[in-house]
Amino acid sequence: ETGVTQSPTHLIKTRGQQVTLRCSSQSGHNTVSWYQQALGQGPQFIFQYYREEENGRGNFPPRFSGLQFPNYSSELNVNALELDDSALYLCASSLSGGKDEQYFGPGTRLTVT
Amino acid sequence: KQEVTQIPAALSVPEGENLVLNCSFTDSAIYNLQWFRQDPGKGLTSLLLIQSSQREQTSGRLNASLDKSSGRSTLYIAASQPGDSATYLCAVEGSTLGRLYFGRGTQLTVWP
Protein backbone atom coordinates (compact mmCIF):
# COMPACT_ATOMS: atom_id res chain seq x y z
CA GLU A 1 0.00 0.00 0.00
CA THR A 2 1.46 3.36 -1.08
CA GLY A 3 1.27 6.20 1.41
CA VAL A 4 0.56 9.87 0.75
CA THR A 5 3.19 11.52 -1.42
CA GLN A 6 3.81 15.20 -2.14
CA SER A 7 5.92 17.07 -4.65
CA PRO A 8 8.10 18.99 -4.73
CA THR A 9 9.86 18.64 -1.38
CA HIS A 10 11.16 22.20 -1.31
CA LEU A 11 10.36 25.25 -3.38
CA ILE A 12 11.62 28.84 -3.44
CA LYS A 13 9.48 31.50 -5.10
CA THR A 14 9.47 35.25 -5.37
CA ARG A 15 6.67 37.46 -4.04
CA GLY A 16 3.92 37.85 -6.64
CA GLN A 17 4.63 34.55 -8.40
CA GLN A 18 2.30 31.58 -8.61
CA VAL A 19 2.96 28.05 -7.33
CA THR A 20 1.40 24.60 -7.75
CA LEU A 21 1.88 21.86 -5.18
CA ARG A 22 0.90 18.24 -5.80
CA CYS A 23 -0.39 15.40 -3.65
CA SER A 24 -1.12 11.75 -4.35
CA SER A 25 -3.54 10.20 -1.92
CA GLN A 26 -3.16 6.85 -0.25
CA SER A 27 -4.51 3.95 -2.26
CA GLY A 28 -8.29 3.62 -1.82
CA HIS A 29 -8.77 7.12 -0.36
CA ASN A 30 -11.14 9.53 -2.13
CA THR A 31 -10.66 12.57 0.11
CA VAL A 32 -7.74 15.00 0.21
CA SER A 33 -7.30 17.88 2.65
CA TRP A 34 -4.66 20.61 2.52
CA TYR A 35 -3.12 22.34 5.52
CA GLN A 36 -0.66 25.19 5.99
CA GLN A 37 1.78 25.00 8.88
CA ALA A 38 3.77 28.13 9.71
CA LEU A 39 6.91 27.75 11.78
CA GLY A 40 6.10 26.94 15.40
CA GLN A 41 2.36 26.67 14.77
CA GLY A 42 -0.12 23.85 14.37
CA PRO A 43 -1.42 23.12 10.86
CA GLN A 44 -4.30 25.29 9.62
CA PHE A 45 -7.01 23.82 7.38
CA ILE A 46 -7.08 25.30 3.86
CA PHE A 47 -9.70 23.14 2.12
CA GLN A 48 -10.82 19.61 1.42
CA TYR A 49 -11.73 17.80 -1.78
CA TYR A 50 -14.08 14.82 -1.81
CA ARG A 51 -14.69 12.99 -5.08
CA GLU A 52 -13.39 15.94 -7.13
CA GLU A 53 -15.57 18.58 -5.41
CA GLU A 54 -14.49 21.15 -2.82
CA ASN A 55 -16.01 19.97 0.45
CA GLY A 56 -15.15 22.69 2.92
CA ARG A 57 -12.79 25.63 3.15
CA GLY A 58 -10.91 27.31 5.95
CA ASN A 59 -10.17 31.00 6.40
CA PHE A 60 -7.90 31.43 3.36
CA PRO A 61 -8.31 33.97 0.54
CA PRO A 62 -9.46 32.97 -2.97
CA ARG A 63 -5.91 33.10 -4.29
CA PHE A 64 -5.59 29.67 -2.65
CA SER A 65 -7.36 27.24 -4.97
CA GLY A 66 -7.31 23.55 -5.63
CA LEU A 67 -8.26 20.65 -7.83
CA GLN A 68 -8.87 16.96 -7.39
CA PHE A 69 -8.48 14.58 -10.30
CA PRO A 70 -10.41 11.37 -11.12
CA ASN A 71 -7.60 9.30 -9.57
CA TYR A 72 -8.09 11.41 -6.38
CA SER A 73 -4.71 13.08 -6.57
CA SER A 74 -4.85 16.79 -5.89
CA GLU A 75 -3.19 20.14 -6.56
CA LEU A 76 -2.97 23.26 -4.43
CA ASN A 77 -2.45 26.49 -6.37
CA VAL A 78 -1.44 29.75 -4.76
CA ASN A 79 -1.47 32.96 -6.82
CA ALA A 80 0.17 36.31 -6.06
CA LEU A 81 2.48 34.84 -3.44
CA GLU A 82 3.11 36.85 -0.29
CA LEU A 83 5.97 36.55 2.20
CA ASP A 84 3.52 35.16 4.81
CA ASP A 85 2.76 32.22 2.51
CA SER A 86 6.14 30.76 3.49
CA ALA A 87 5.23 27.58 5.33
CA LEU A 88 5.11 23.79 5.24
CA TYR A 89 2.13 22.68 3.15
CA LEU A 90 0.70 19.35 4.18
CA CYS A 91 -1.72 17.14 2.36
CA ALA A 92 -3.78 14.45 4.08
CA SER A 93 -5.93 11.72 2.64
CA SER A 94 -8.79 9.77 4.17
CA LEU A 95 -11.42 7.27 3.16
CA SER A 96 -14.70 9.10 2.90
CA GLY A 97 -14.81 12.81 3.59
CA GLY A 98 -14.96 12.75 7.34
CA LYS A 99 -14.85 10.86 10.63
CA ASP A 100 -11.94 8.76 9.40
CA GLU A 101 -8.28 8.71 10.31
CA GLN A 102 -6.32 11.16 8.20
CA TYR A 103 -2.92 10.18 6.82
CA PHE A 104 -0.45 12.94 6.09
CA GLY A 105 2.25 13.27 3.46
CA PRO A 106 5.78 14.54 4.12
CA GLY A 107 4.89 18.10 3.13
CA THR A 108 6.24 20.73 0.75
CA ARG A 109 8.38 23.48 2.25
CA LEU A 110 7.59 26.74 0.41
CA THR A 111 9.82 29.77 0.87
CA VAL A 112 8.70 33.10 -0.57
CA THR A 113 11.41 35.77 -0.89
CA LYS B 1 -14.93 28.40 16.77
CA GLN B 2 -13.03 25.35 17.97
CA GLU B 3 -9.78 26.11 19.76
CA VAL B 4 -7.25 23.48 20.79
CA THR B 5 -4.63 24.08 23.46
CA GLN B 6 -1.71 21.85 24.37
CA ILE B 7 0.19 21.96 27.62
CA PRO B 8 3.10 22.02 28.19
CA ALA B 9 4.59 23.69 25.11
CA ALA B 10 7.88 21.95 25.74
CA LEU B 11 9.06 19.10 27.94
CA SER B 12 12.53 17.71 28.60
CA VAL B 13 12.87 14.43 30.51
CA PRO B 14 15.50 11.73 31.11
CA GLU B 15 15.14 8.40 29.39
CA GLY B 16 12.84 5.92 31.14
CA GLU B 17 10.36 8.41 32.57
CA ASN B 18 6.62 8.05 32.14
CA LEU B 19 5.06 11.26 30.93
CA VAL B 20 1.70 12.87 30.16
CA LEU B 21 0.89 15.37 27.44
CA ASN B 22 -2.31 17.37 27.72
CA CYS B 23 -4.75 18.63 25.12
CA SER B 24 -7.93 20.65 25.66
CA PHE B 25 -10.59 21.82 23.23
CA THR B 26 -13.36 24.39 23.60
CA ASP B 27 -16.25 22.74 21.69
CA SER B 28 -17.16 19.25 22.93
CA ALA B 29 -19.18 18.46 19.77
CA ILE B 30 -16.41 16.44 18.11
CA TYR B 31 -16.39 13.31 15.97
CA ASN B 32 -12.91 12.19 16.94
CA LEU B 33 -9.55 13.23 18.31
CA GLN B 34 -6.24 12.26 16.77
CA TRP B 35 -2.71 12.42 18.18
CA PHE B 36 0.19 12.94 15.77
CA ARG B 37 3.96 12.96 15.97
CA GLN B 38 6.01 15.38 13.90
CA ASP B 39 9.79 15.22 13.49
CA PRO B 40 11.56 18.53 12.62
CA GLY B 41 10.63 19.73 9.13
CA LYS B 42 8.67 16.57 8.39
CA GLY B 43 5.05 15.54 7.90
CA LEU B 44 2.71 14.15 10.54
CA THR B 45 2.61 10.54 11.65
CA SER B 46 -0.69 9.39 13.10
CA LEU B 47 -0.28 7.79 16.52
CA LEU B 48 -3.79 7.20 17.82
CA LEU B 49 -7.36 8.01 16.80
CA ILE B 50 -10.11 8.10 19.41
CA GLN B 51 -13.70 8.21 18.21
CA SER B 52 -16.06 10.40 20.22
CA SER B 53 -17.81 7.33 21.66
CA GLN B 54 -14.53 5.90 22.99
CA ARG B 55 -12.71 6.69 26.23
CA GLU B 56 -9.21 5.55 25.32
CA GLN B 57 -6.95 3.92 22.79
CA THR B 58 -3.65 2.13 23.26
CA SER B 59 -0.76 1.38 20.93
CA GLY B 60 2.39 -0.10 22.40
CA ARG B 61 3.81 2.34 24.96
CA LEU B 62 1.22 4.98 24.09
CA ASN B 63 -2.18 5.42 25.70
CA ALA B 64 -4.57 8.23 24.84
CA SER B 65 -7.70 9.06 26.81
CA LEU B 66 -10.64 11.26 25.89
CA ASP B 67 -13.12 13.06 28.15
CA LYS B 68 -15.39 14.71 25.62
CA SER B 69 -17.68 16.37 28.14
CA SER B 70 -14.82 18.26 29.78
CA GLY B 71 -13.00 18.87 26.49
CA ARG B 72 -9.79 17.09 27.45
CA SER B 73 -7.45 14.41 26.18
CA THR B 74 -4.17 13.09 27.51
CA LEU B 75 -1.41 11.17 25.80
CA TYR B 76 0.54 8.94 28.16
CA ILE B 77 3.97 7.73 27.06
CA ALA B 78 5.45 4.92 29.12
CA ALA B 79 9.18 4.33 29.59
CA SER B 80 10.23 7.19 27.30
CA GLN B 81 13.19 6.73 24.93
CA PRO B 82 15.41 9.23 23.06
CA GLY B 83 13.68 8.14 19.84
CA ASP B 84 10.44 9.58 21.23
CA SER B 85 11.88 13.08 20.88
CA ALA B 86 9.57 14.98 18.53
CA THR B 87 6.66 17.41 18.57
CA TYR B 88 3.33 15.86 19.51
CA LEU B 89 0.19 17.42 18.08
CA CYS B 90 -3.42 16.77 18.95
CA ALA B 91 -6.25 17.52 16.55
CA VAL B 92 -10.02 17.31 16.78
CA GLU B 93 -12.53 16.78 14.00
CA GLY B 94 -15.54 18.87 14.89
CA SER B 95 -18.87 19.76 13.36
CA THR B 96 -17.28 20.44 9.97
CA LEU B 97 -16.59 16.94 8.74
CA GLY B 98 -13.06 16.29 7.62
CA ARG B 99 -11.65 19.50 9.03
CA LEU B 100 -9.05 19.01 11.77
CA TYR B 101 -8.36 21.71 14.33
CA PHE B 102 -4.81 21.45 15.70
CA GLY B 103 -3.06 22.61 18.81
CA ARG B 104 0.42 24.13 18.60
CA GLY B 105 2.02 20.97 19.89
CA THR B 106 4.25 19.84 22.75
CA GLN B 107 7.94 19.64 21.88
CA LEU B 108 9.34 16.62 23.71
CA THR B 109 13.03 15.96 24.30
CA VAL B 110 14.10 12.70 25.91
CA TRP B 111 17.78 12.65 26.84
CA PRO B 112 19.87 9.53 27.51
Side-chain angles (χ1 to χ4, degrees):
Chain A
E1 184 179 271
T2 306
V4 180
T5 60
Q6 292 186 244
S7 62
T9 305
H10 296 93
L11 204 51
I12 300 175
K13 289 287 190 177
T14 303
R15 192 170 51 184
Q17 286 187 317
Q18 178 265 344
V19 69
T20 297
L21 310 182
R22 295 177 175 83
C23 171
S24 292
S25 60
Q26 187 162 310
S27 176
H29 288 184
N30 57 24
T31 303
V32 172
S33 302
W34 286 92
Y35 292 81
Q36 179 195 67
Q37 186 178 25
L39 204 59
Q41 305 292 318
Q44 298 291 316
F45 177 79
I46 303 174
F47 43 55
Q48 182 186 80
Y49 279 84
Y50 171 61
R51 294 187 173 182
E52 302 179 58
E53 297 287 332
E54 187 178 290
N55 186 42
R57 187 178 184 93
N59 189 26
F60 280 82
R63 59 189 185 85
F64 285 78
S65 63
L67 280 174
Q68 188 177 32
F69 300 100
N71 66 354
Y72 302 131
S73 66
S74 177
E75 286 183 354
L76 164 65
N77 298 292
V78 187
N79 293 323
L81 284 167
E82 300 176 0
L83 296 179
D84 284 349
D85 296 333
S86 295
L88 181 67
Y89 288 84
L90 297 163
C91 141
S93 76
S94 57
L95 270 174
S96 60
K99 302 189 189 180
D100 299 307
E101 190 165 0
Q102 296 198 25
Y103 296 87
F104 282 76
T108 294
R109 170 71 63 187
L110 173 65
T111 302
V112 182
T113 62
Chain B
K1 181 192 168 191
Q2 179 74 268
E3 292 188 5
V4 180
T5 303
Q6 291 188 246
I7 294 173
L11 187 60
S12 181
V13 299
E15 181 176 8
E17 281 211 356
N18 301 322
L19 49 99
V20 174
L21 309 183
N22 296 291
C23 172
S24 61
F25 46 95
T26 54
D27 185 351
S28 61
I30 65 168
Y31 286 108
N32 58 52
L33 182 145
Q34 203 165 348
W35 282 93
F36 295 90
R37 169 189 172 133
Q38 185 173 35
D39 293 294
K42 304 295 185 183
L44 309 183
T45 300
S46 179
L47 298 173
L48 290 164
L49 171 74
I50 310 178
Q51 300 289 355
S52 61
S53 58
Q54 297 175 317
R55 297 284 294 184
E56 65 178 317
Q57 281 286 349
T58 298
S59 176
R61 295 183 293 108
L62 305 179
N63 175 274
S65 67
L66 173 63
D67 184 341
K68 201 174 81 155
S69 61
S70 68
R72 295 176 188 274
S73 176
T74 60
L75 178 66
Y76 175 82
I77 303 177
S80 58
Q81 303 170 357
D84 294 331
S85 298
T87 295
Y88 290 80
L89 293 155
C90 91
V92 297
E93 182 175 356
S95 55
T96 304
L97 278 180
R99 174 176 182 169
L100 295 181
Y101 293 85
F102 283 86
R104 294 177 67 169
T106 294
Q107 185 174 359
L108 173 65
T109 303
V110 182
W111 40 276

